[in-house]
Amino acid sequence: MKATIYHNPRCSKSREALAILTDAGAEVAVIEYLKTPPSRETLAELYQRAGMTAREGLRIAEDAAKPLKGADDDTILDAMAANPILIERPLVVTERGVRLGRPPEKVREIL
């Protein structure tokens, strides 16, 4: 199975999700999203495939997320594309779907 993970190596949840994928024998493409951010369009597609809103994918623990408290999804997507630290991680993609790996065990749903 092939998988793509939008990964932050400094994040323990992201590292745990990557370990789940590799332990399952997946062929994993790792995208360090802070170095190679996904486009706004890619984010919108990923969230749609995951059945979640951009707000649900917003990393609210970041100070930069505070001004987005009442923002709509389009504004949040624009902010994420401009400042990828706002993207909650990890996002995992397989042919079976897309999951936000919080908790990391959620990625098992698409293996």
Side-chain angles (χ1 to χ4, degrees):
M1 167 177 286
K2 292 184 179 188
T4 300
I5 183 170
Y6 290 86
H7 179 62
N8 181 343
R10 296 183 63 204
C11 172
S12 64
K13 301 297 183 200
S14 194
R15 290 191 308 268
E16 288 176 39
L18 179 57
I20 289 169
L21 293 169
T22 56
D23 289 349
E27 180 184 325
V28 185
V30 177
I31 299 173
E32 289 190 34
Y33 70 91
L34 293 176
K35 293 179 181 177
T36 309
S39 69
R40 181 196 190 287
E41 294 76 20
T42 298
L43 284 170
E45 178 187 337
L46 291 171
Y47 293 139
Q48 187 273 326
R49 288 183 58 202
M52 58 190 290
T53 65
R55 175 162 303 286
E56 292 169 320
L58 178 64
R59 185 162 175 76
I60 59 172
E62 294 297 327
D63 287 340
K66 288 183 177 122
L68 299 170
K69 184 175 182 179
D72 62 16
D73 277 1
D74 284 332
T75 302
I76 292 170
L77 286 168
D78 289 341
M80 288 174 168
N83 189 2
I85 194 69
L86 293 171
I87 301 168
E88 187 64 272
R89 72 251 182 187
L91 275 169
V92 177
V93 183
T94 72
E95 64 262 11
R96 296 187 63 200
V98 178
R99 291 292 181 275
L100 177 61
R102 291 201 168 254
E105 294 77 23
K106 286 192 68 85
V107 302
R108 294 185 198 282
E109 296 173 2
I110 56 172
L111 292 178

